[in-house]
Amino acid sequence: MANSESKAKKSPVGDFFRALGSDCREIGTTWAEGDGKTKLSFLIFGIGPILRGRALVGALHLALEILLIAFIAGFGWQYFSKLLTLGTVETNASGRVTTYGDNSFLILLFGLLTLCALAALIFVWRMNVRENRTEELLLKDGKKLPDNHTDFLSLFDSHFDVTLLALPVLGVFVFTVLPIIFMICVAFTNYDATHQAPSKLFTWVGLKNFRDLFSFGQDGFGSTFLTVLAWTLVWAFFATFLCYFLGIAVAMLINKKGIRFKKLWRTILVMTIAVPQFVSLLYVGKLFAPDGLINGTLLKWGLIRSALPFWTNPMWARITIIVVNIWIGIPYMMLIATGLLMNIPEDLYESARIDGATPWQMFRSITLPYMLFVTGPFLLTQFTGNLNNFNVIFLLNQGNPKSMGMVGGAGGTDLLVTWLYKMTINDTNYKMAAVIGIMVFIVTAVISLVVYQMLPSVKDEEGFQ
Amino acid sequence: MKKKILSVLLAGAMTAGMLAGCGGSGSKGGEIKIWVADNVVDFTKEKAESFLASDDQYKGWTVTVEAVGEGDAAGNMITDVTAGADIYGFAQDQIARLVAAGALVEVEASNASKVESANAAGVVNAAKVGSKLYAYPMTADNGYFLYYDKSVISDPSTLEGIIADCEAAGKNFYMDFGGWYQTAFFFGTGCTLTYDTDDAGNFTACNMDYDSDKGLAALKAMVQLASSSSFQQGSSAGDAVNYAAIVDGTWDAGVIQETLGDNYACAKLPTFTVDGQTYQMSGFNGCKLLGVKPQESEDKLAVCDALADYLTSEEVQLARYNAVGWGPSNIAAQNSDAVKADPALSALAEQFAYTIPQGNYPGDYWSLAESLRDSVIGEYQGADDATLQAALKSFQDSCMSYAQ
Amino acid sequence: MNEKTSSMKQKRLIGNILSYILLILISLIWLFPFVGLVLNSFRSYRPEVEYGGMVDYLVPKHFSLDNYRFLFSGDTNYLRWYGNTIIIAFFVAALQTFIVLCVSYALSRMRFAGRTFLMRFWLVLGMFPGFLTMICLYFLLKQMGLTQAGAIPGLILVSVASSGMGYYVCKGYFDTIPKALDEAARIDGASRARVFFTMTIPMSKPIIIYTALVAFMAPWCDYVFASYIAFGHDKSYNVAVAMQRWVWTGDYQGYFTRFCAGGVLVAIPITILFMLLQNYYVEGVTGGAVKG
């Protein structure tokens, strides 16, 4: 793996190893040239700074060492040591009382956490070695070391970023990074309804789940996956661009000269943003039901002979969803477009008008290029957001109608993300849910990367400031 | 630097978590959590509390009853057994899944023989996985029959007649085509679908002949019914619109009675005719069960056993019938006058003569059947016999594949 | 000449009339569901009056306040669920805004090792679907005792913990505040912290309100994760969790009008709040859209 990578892009990998090499050399120099305090610090973190009068910095290193080691030895190791098997002791019932065996779930979770703790320990050790080196060099130059008070104050000035970011980074690590690593690992296990911790063990199965996803035939996930993926992309395309253009159109309509009560029209539209979606969308979903208000009224008026299959026919359901989504999406786009349209210099239109341009020509050659240019990145985020637009699909018809042609409980309007949800909640098929989740990531990442390169308005971030 | 602070806090949080995890236990007594449907929460709480108060040996034990319906309860128990309820109600179709996930403990031996003799035989069977009894039968009313509006439907004995009356009156006919209800057609034309399980809740074999002329007749009947402008898919009377007939169970009797008022009537399911041949609708008969989850403490298990046994006893089943109208599974309770005089329960009893006791089915069957349901209503409208036959073959192949 | 202007005028008039017709049509379509919702909420669920399930007519035959009475009576925990949601929304809004401000300031104003890496890394993390990690978060919270009875602090913790990743809009705003202001203050001897608290924050009112508003509105719609970690513990539900059960669970048939009433009660304060702060919202969304 590392080999093929290094062939593909030589320089980053090369850089990495060069950096590692120089790091090792630096550690060696620190040891060779270091005094007793420094050498002691290799084992007892932070003892060097403490002895040099920087109690705060030293104590922090020491405390971290103690905590991490206590965590790993006292709590994490029992899980970490079983990480390769995910547990071997089965749950058994002696008499009627149940004794739970190894909990594969916790072994995997805390095993990974311990792994992270080990990495953190090595990192702290490295920082501690570097700290010693820096101090020694400073002293050798005859400079004074900053005292505890200065160290402390720097947390609110030159090191203010540390203070600001410590908690957010920790939070993201525990509640986002760790769970994602965990679920990526689950994709390589057989964790599902019949291997449910703590009653049953689950274990590593390699790439089996990925092979299942791409297996075609009777019960293979392959064709269902491709159908769902295709609909996900089609949906995201229509949901994004229909709302985009119609939203601009509505904004222009309201902005039109001579139209009064502009604020009123906007406020009416904005209602769909303000009212929580689970209220409005659930109600709209019911409106279109076979026995809902729309069908009921049409039947009563004799306009149709039997209910229109808004939600029961896959094609109808897809179209209905896209149409209802316009109802949701136009107001957002209208709000954004309203502000942006006013930024277009009026004299551009004026000179176009003198040249005898029709409104449509003006839209095509002035408005649209400008809008596309400024909102390029926004369109991209809208698109990736729509790929994962759970609420609209799920609240309207739960991804139905299901079909005999699809496996895993998938339905005609299921996006990858609603399918993932169904696998988690209805089937507790975590292994396949994890695989689908990875696929969602890959799709999103690839699209983002490709489109981002093509955007005209992408400038380097500093240029904006 | 930020990484350092991060690890400190992390380690701290974990240590705190560990400490919180331990502690407790030791002393006798504790809390028993029960999950039942919302409308019997108060009833169950009252009965359970009076039971625990009735005997000194249960001193120190308290109950909390939470409203978690039968569907959610099974799902939650499978997601996390340890956080789930100690005693919970569920529909019998979930039992194999729950046993396989380790969420049910076998019924205690002395209770087991009592349960087997006191309850109807079909119900006892439904509470078994393999040869072991895993749950306490609570009701025997998990079946469906026809509710109808006397003023609209002149003859409830044939499906064609019902549909004609409904169409003429511009009223709806509700029937569910999900896995539980569609067997009314398949079993009606003489098809079979059962699974064999071993004692651990694994499915070992599937006995099925949907891919046949009988199966085709049933599927055609469903497609034909779905094509009616009066047909609505569904079985929740409380959410049904403008209906003159609905295939539903006893649990909705109250709602329907209130809606139809004086025109309220019940009957066994009608017959249906395909290609000139007439069949009686069949279906499942089943029950609601009360289960106890595996326990690590012997004391607690004993209390849970006793409590579950009491909550499914003749006395409580009758009281529950009076409170919320759930049909008892206990033979003595079934024979009480009040239960016998109930129109819904009598219609159900009449229908039960044509039905098949529901065994264990894998969870995948139910979701697959939903796919068939949606396909029948949507894409199979107007499909030819060959398409339908192919659908049945794929349905059968999938069902077969769920047994190892 | 005169003819031309009058024909122009005529054309404009027709155009305006068409525009008004279109706008009125749009308004009707947009308002219809909300009108329906409100009308349904006044249909009694008691069988002796009317019907609490779905019906195929819009205007109730009898107007009644039964549904609202039900919500405020002891027959349901609606008020408790409502209170839970307010608590969650309030804490999430306050803490999330604070964290977003901190992160945005650090990323906008300070240059430190690993800054670009952190931003790229968080961007990549955001590409994983949120539901993926639900089961893992559940067990993590369970280890900390923050599920079931403790679900409310648990929900707040999870929402706040990952909020650092949502810094884009706010950082974009900070980027537009001239750096020269900071520099001037720093030359006068003010520390970074002082600049942040006494200069940047007071200048960021629109973005603070925008962030808080978005954060406040999100918990009202969270019926998936909130339901997952409440794990059947009725008292820890928020309104969304409890009310989607009224629509989707067979145990609650005929609760449709009560759902509508509950929905109206949720929608009113949120809508008012939103309308009041609409301008800030537009500013935030537009800024975010242009910045990307």
Side-chain angles (χ1 to χ4, degrees):
Chain A
M1 187 71 196
N3 245 339
S4 70
E5 223 170 83
S6 68
K7 258 179 220 156
K9 13 184 203 167
K10 207 154 200 147
S11 68
V13 180
D15 282 353
F16 174 73
F17 282 112
R18 253 192 303 282
L20 196 68
S22 72
D23 223 38
C24 290
R25 252 195 315 282
E26 200 188 311
I27 294 168
T29 335
T30 312
W31 176 261
E33 298 177 4
D35 57 9
K37 296 168 190 164
T38 300
K39 283 185 172 137
L40 197 55
S41 288
F42 270 68
L43 203 60
I44 305 169
F45 297 6
I47 199 78
I50 291 176
L51 293 175
R52 290 184 198 104
R54 299 186 68 200
L56 203 67
V57 173
L60 192 65
H61 282 108
L62 191 58
L64 278 173
E65 180 187 15
I66 292 170
L67 260 168
L68 283 172
I69 289 179
F71 171 76
I72 294 168
F75 176 74
W77 192 257
Q78 47 173 323
Y79 297 104
F80 186 70
S81 58
K82 294 175 188 158
L83 200 53
L84 285 178
T85 58
L86 295 180
T88 46
V89 185
E90 304 255 6
T91 294
N92 71 346
S94 62
R96 300 197 59 239
V97 176
T98 305
T99 318
Y100 286 118
D102 284 338
N103 186 329
S104 302
F105 190 101
L106 295 183
I107 289 172
L108 182 53
L109 182 60
F110 290 138
L112 289 172
L113 190 60
T114 312
L115 196 63
C116 295
L118 278 169
L121 187 65
I122 294 171
F123 182 77
V124 173
W125 176 78
R126 180 69 193 99
M127 297 306 290
N128 148 68
V129 169
R130 181 168 292 161
E131 183 66 44
N132 274 294
R133 176 78 181 158
T134 323
E135 284 174 10
E136 277 197 79
L137 288 179
L138 274 176
L139 289 175
K140 208 184 272 174
D141 288 356
K143 290 189 183 127
K144 254 182 71 181
L145 291 177
D147 60 15
N148 287 326
H149 187 65
T150 323
D151 279 336
F152 182 73
L153 282 185
S154 80
L155 283 177
F156 298 96
D157 197 24
S158 56
H159 288 131
F160 193 38
D161 54 325
V162 177
T163 317
L164 288 175
L165 289 173
L167 267 181
V169 168
L170 175 72
V172 170
F173 173 77
V174 177
F175 290 102
T176 307
V177 178
L178 183 65
I180 286 178
I181 299 177
F182 176 87
M183 288 314 288
I184 291 175
C185 290
V186 164
F188 300 94
T189 69
N190 58 358
Y191 181 28
D192 59 17
T194 49
H195 299 88
Q196 190 83 50
S199 311
K200 302 277 165 68
L201 298 169
F202 62 83
T203 187
W204 301 105
V205 294
L207 288 170
K208 181 177 176 303
N209 302 322
F210 289 89
R211 275 200 298 273
D212 284 353
L213 185 70
F214 291 107
S215 73
F216 293 84
Q218 179 59 20
D219 286 316
F221 275 83
S223 65
T224 307
F225 171 68
L226 292 182
T227 316
V228 176
L229 176 64
W231 160 241
T232 307
L233 294 173
V234 169
W235 147 262
F237 178 81
F238 280 109
T240 308
F241 288 100
L242 273 182
C243 292
Y244 183 74
F245 289 114
L246 291 175
I248 294 179
V250 172
M252 289 172 71
L253 184 66
I254 298 177
N255 277 6
K256 202 171 163 222
K257 270 202 201 98
I259 296 289
R260 298 177 62 190
F261 316 119
K262 289 190 198 306
K263 192 142 190 179
L264 172 77
W265 306 121
R266 271 182 214 133
T267 308
I268 288 173
L269 286 172
V270 163
M271 285 278 285
T272 46
I273 305 179
V275 176
Q277 286 193 344
F278 93 94
V279 176
S280 55
L281 284 183
L282 270 179
Y283 181 74
V284 173
K286 292 272 178 192
L287 275 185
F288 286 94
D291 50 1
L293 186 63
I294 292 180
N295 270 317
T297 314
L298 291 177
L299 279 169
K300 223 184 281 174
W301 290 349
L303 291 175
I304 49 172
R305 297 223 29 248
S306 60
L308 300 174
F310 289 118
W311 297 141
T312 48
N313 176 300
M315 218 49 219
W316 277 76
R318 286 171 190 161
I319 294 170
T320 315
I321 284 210
I322 290 178
V323 170
V324 174
N325 185 63
I326 293 176
W327 184 76
I328 300 286
I330 280 186
Y332 280 101
M333 198 53 223
M334 187 267 307
L335 282 183
I336 292 166
T338 306
L340 295 181
L341 288 172
M342 289 177 190
N343 289 348
I344 306 180
E346 185 57 32
D347 43 338
L348 276 180
Y349 289 110
E350 206 54 57
S351 52
R353 214 169 284 137
I354 290 165
D355 292 346
T358 63
W360 171 243
Q361 281 171 329
M362 285 196 278
F363 175 78
R364 260 192 38 202
S365 51
I366 303 174
T367 319
L368 195 59
Y370 173 81
M371 289 299 285
L372 281 177
F373 180 77
V374 252
T375 57
F378 166 75
L379 267 176
L380 176 59
T381 47
Q382 279 298 95
F383 189 84
T384 52
N386 275 322
L387 287 175
N388 294 312
N389 198 333
F390 179 86
N391 269 344
V392 172
I393 303 284
F394 202 76
L395 289 170
L396 283 175
N397 76 337
Q398 294 93 58
N400 288 334
K402 294 184 176 177
S403 162
M404 283 295 293
M406 296 170 110
V407 297
T413 57
D414 260 327
L415 303 181
L416 285 172
V417 68
T418 57
W419 193 27
L420 185 163
Y421 171 81
K422 285 180 178 176
M423 283 192 181
T424 308
I425 296 289
N426 302 349
D427 304 340
T428 53
N429 191 351
Y430 302 110
K431 57 175 205 257
M432 286 317 282
V435 173
I436 301 281
I438 293 175
M439 291 299 144
V440 172
F441 167 73
I442 292 174
V443 169
T444 318
V446 166
I447 290 179
S448 306
L449 230 102
V450 170
V451 178
Y452 197 73
Q453 302 296 336
M454 290 169 12
L455 287 178
S457 51
V458 170
K459 297 176 182 160
D460 74 323
E461 183 220 351
E462 298 284 330
F464 258 109
Q465 297 185 8
Chain B
M1 187 76 145
K2 59 184 176 281
K3 282 244 168 96
K4 299 175 200 170
I5 298 167
L6 176 156
S7 343
V8 176
L9 288 167
L10 194 63
M14 283 305 146
T15 326
M18 272 162 64
L19 291 176
C22 313
S25 79
S27 68
K28 218 174 161 211
E31 187 190 53
I32 292 172
K33 188 155 72 179
I34 304 179
W35 280 350
V36 288
D38 199 358
N39 58 340
V40 286
V41 164
D42 294 339
F43 172 85
T44 310
K45 190 171 171 59
E46 184 203 318
K47 289 290 170 194
E49 275 173 356
S50 70
F51 175 73
L52 291 181
S54 69
D55 195 328
D56 265 354
Q57 60 168 314
Y58 305 129
K59 226 175 133 165
W61 293 96
T62 55
V63 285
T64 29
V65 184
E66 292 178 338
V68 180
E70 279 113 27
D72 292 344
N76 279 359
M77 291 306 298
I78 290 170
T79 303
D80 184 7
V81 180
T82 46
D86 299 304
I87 301 175
Y88 57 99
F90 59 96
Q92 68 169 90
D93 55 13
Q94 301 289 337
I95 190 168
R97 212 174 145 212
L98 288 165
V99 170
L104 281 175
V105 70
E106 256 181 84
V107 172
E108 198 242 337
S110 67
N111 283 348
S113 53
K114 212 165 67 182
V115 166
E116 291 197 25
S117 60
N119 288 286
V123 172
V124 172
N125 242 349
K128 279 185 180 172
V129 171
S131 59
K132 293 179 177 171
L133 187 70
Y134 272 102
Y136 297 81
M138 179 158 56
T139 75
D141 59 0
N142 251 25
Y144 38 86
F145 51 93
L146 183 76
Y147 291 97
Y148 65 100
D149 182 333
K150 272 195 288 214
S151 66
V152 175
I153 313 282
S154 49
D155 174 19
S157 66
T158 70
L159 186 60
E160 293 70 29
I162 296 172
I163 287 295
D165 286 343
C166 285
E167 283 179 358
K171 293 271 192 176
N172 287 327
F173 169 70
Y174 276 83
M175 180 164 183
D176 203 311
F177 276 178
W180 202 54
Y181 295 88
Q182 62 184 230
T183 55
F185 291 95
F186 286 111
F187 294 170
T189 57
C191 294
T192 48
L193 170 57
T194 55
Y195 282 88
D196 300 337
T197 49
D198 62 16
D199 290 358
N202 302 312
F203 293 94
T204 51
C206 171
N207 320 301
M208 181 178 193
D209 59 354
Y210 278 23
D211 182 16
S212 61
D213 291 345
K214 297 179 282 185
L216 183 63
L219 191 59
K220 276 166 81 173
M222 287 167 70
V223 173
Q224 190 184 317
L225 174 57
S227 71
S228 162
S229 62
S230 285
F231 172 79
Q232 295 286 1
Q233 138 73 28
S235 57
S236 306
D239 293 326
V241 180
N242 189 28
Y243 58 90
I246 180 166
V247 174
D248 201 345
T250 48
W251 49 92
D252 280 341
V255 189
I256 301 170
Q257 202 163 1
E258 282 158 358
T259 313
L260 298 182
D262 292 340
N263 295 319
Y264 170 78
C266 309
K268 71 170 179 56
L269 290 177
T271 62
F272 60 95
T273 305
V274 196
D275 298 334
Q277 199 165 348
T278 303
Y279 309 90
Q280 166 63 44
M281 276 196 193
S282 171
F284 281 130
N285 63 62
C287 51
K288 286 192 180 114
L289 303 169
L290 201 61
V292 176
K293 84 165 176 193
Q295 300 287 348
E296 291 177 286
S297 137
E298 207 151 350
D299 290 340
K300 191 168 180 184
L301 186 62
V303 185
C304 289
D305 283 338
L307 192 55
D309 185 47
Y310 173 73
L311 288 174
T312 54
S313 64
E314 179 193 344
E315 173 201 342
V316 179
Q317 287 202 11
L318 258 184
R320 195 183 287 114
Y321 167 75
N322 288 324
V324 290
W326 290 11
S329 64
N330 183 289
I331 297 170
Q334 281 178 346
N335 288 328
S336 74
D337 295 338
V339 174
K340 280 188 150 175
D342 188 303
L345 286 180
S346 342
L348 182 67
E350 201 184 333
Q351 177 62 27
F352 270 3
Y354 304 102
T355 55
I356 287 157
Q358 183 183 343
N360 291 316
Y361 292 85
D364 288 330
Y365 163 72
W366 305 106
S367 37
L368 183 70
E370 282 182 12
S371 302
L372 184 66
R373 172 196 72 195
D374 287 356
S375 289
V376 163
I377 297 169
E379 44 190 295
Y380 295 160
Q381 286 299 318
D384 56 12
D385 286 8
T387 314
L388 297 182
Q389 197 75 60
L392 285 168
K393 176 163 172 18
S394 117
F395 189 74
Q396 176 157 337
D397 289 349
S398 299
C399 286
M400 293 284 197
S401 71
Y402 301 148
Q404 296 102 15
Chain C
M1 188 69 183
N2 229 348
E3 239 170 55
K4 202 179 170 190
T5 35
S6 77
S7 90
M8 278 272 282
K9 258 187 186 163
Q10 221 169 13
K11 235 174 148 182
R12 181 166 289 170
L13 190 71
I14 293 171
N16 277 354
I17 290 175
L18 282 178
S19 306
Y20 276 121
I21 293 175
L22 204 59
L23 279 174
I24 290 171
L25 209 68
I26 288 176
S27 305
L28 286 179
I29 295 175
W30 253 261
L31 285 180
F32 179 76
F34 302 115
V35 174
L37 199 70
V38 173
L39 285 175
N40 268 306
S41 75
F42 289 113
R43 176 154 50 86
S44 175
Y45 66 90
R46 286 185 303 140
E48 60 270 27
V49 187
E50 229 174 319
Y51 183 60
M54 298 260 299
V55 288
D56 52 4
Y57 53 88
L58 186 62
V59 184
K61 290 177 179 138
H62 310 275
F63 274 81
S64 100
L65 292 172
D66 281 347
N67 297 310
Y68 294 97
R69 246 176 252 136
F70 170 81
L71 296 177
F72 287 99
S73 73
D75 298 340
T76 166
N77 279 329
Y78 184 79
L79 292 180
R80 165 143 199 163
W81 298 326
Y82 207 98
N84 286 346
T85 321
I86 292 180
I87 293 171
I88 296 169
F90 178 78
F91 277 102
V92 168
L95 297 173
Q96 194 161 322
T97 309
F98 181 69
I99 287 194
V100 166
L101 285 172
C102 289
V103 171
S104 304
Y105 182 84
L107 292 177
S108 167
R109 283 301 188 269
M110 306 193 60
R111 295 290 177 272
F112 48 91
R115 173 176 169 274
T116 354
F117 169 77
L118 188 70
M119 281 167 39
R120 289 221 180 112
F121 183 58
W122 281 3
L123 188 74
V124 170
L125 282 185
M127 292 177 186
F128 282 94
F131 294 121
L132 180 63
T133 55
M134 215 159 48
I135 176 78
C136 185
L137 287 175
Y138 168 79
F139 279 105
L140 260 179
L141 287 177
K142 193 184 160 204
Q143 292 297 313
M144 304 177 183
L146 294 180
T147 53
Q148 300 195 324
I152 292 170
L155 268 178
I156 297 172
L157 179 63
V158 171
S159 312
V160 172
S162 14
S163 57
M165 288 163 65
Y167 63 83
Y168 306 99
V169 175
C170 188
K171 173 180 172 291
Y173 184 88
F174 283 171
D175 287 347
T176 62
I177 302 176
K179 269 186 174 172
L181 285 176
D182 288 37
E183 247 98 84
R186 306 241 306 133
I187 290 170
D188 290 348
S191 70
R192 287 270 187 200
R194 206 180 155 81
V195 172
F196 176 56
F197 285 110
T198 59
M199 280 179 56
T200 313
I201 287 188
M203 278 168 75
S204 317
K205 191 178 151 207
I207 211 68
I208 292 175
I209 293 178
Y210 166 76
T211 315
L213 180 66
V214 172
F216 188 84
M217 285 169 62
W220 296 89
C221 211
D222 177 17
Y223 56 94
V224 174
F225 190 61
S227 141
Y228 209 69
I229 71 171
F231 208 73
H233 191 83
D234 187 74
K235 290 196 173 71
S236 307
Y237 287 167
N238 64 18
V239 269
V241 173
M243 283 175 50
Q244 57 81 21
R245 296 200 318 159
W246 289 357
V247 178
W248 279 335
T249 314
D251 294 345
Y252 300 95
Q253 293 176 27
Y255 267 63
F256 186 65
T257 56
R258 280 170 268 190
F259 164 79
C260 291
V264 169
L265 289 188
V266 170
I268 288 174
I270 304 285
T271 311
I272 293 176
L273 189 71
F274 188 84
M275 293 298 169
L276 287 177
L277 304 176
Q278 207 192 106
N279 291 338
Y280 297 106
Y281 183 82
V282 174
E283 196 171 329
V285 166
T286 317
V290 176
K291 188 73 188 12

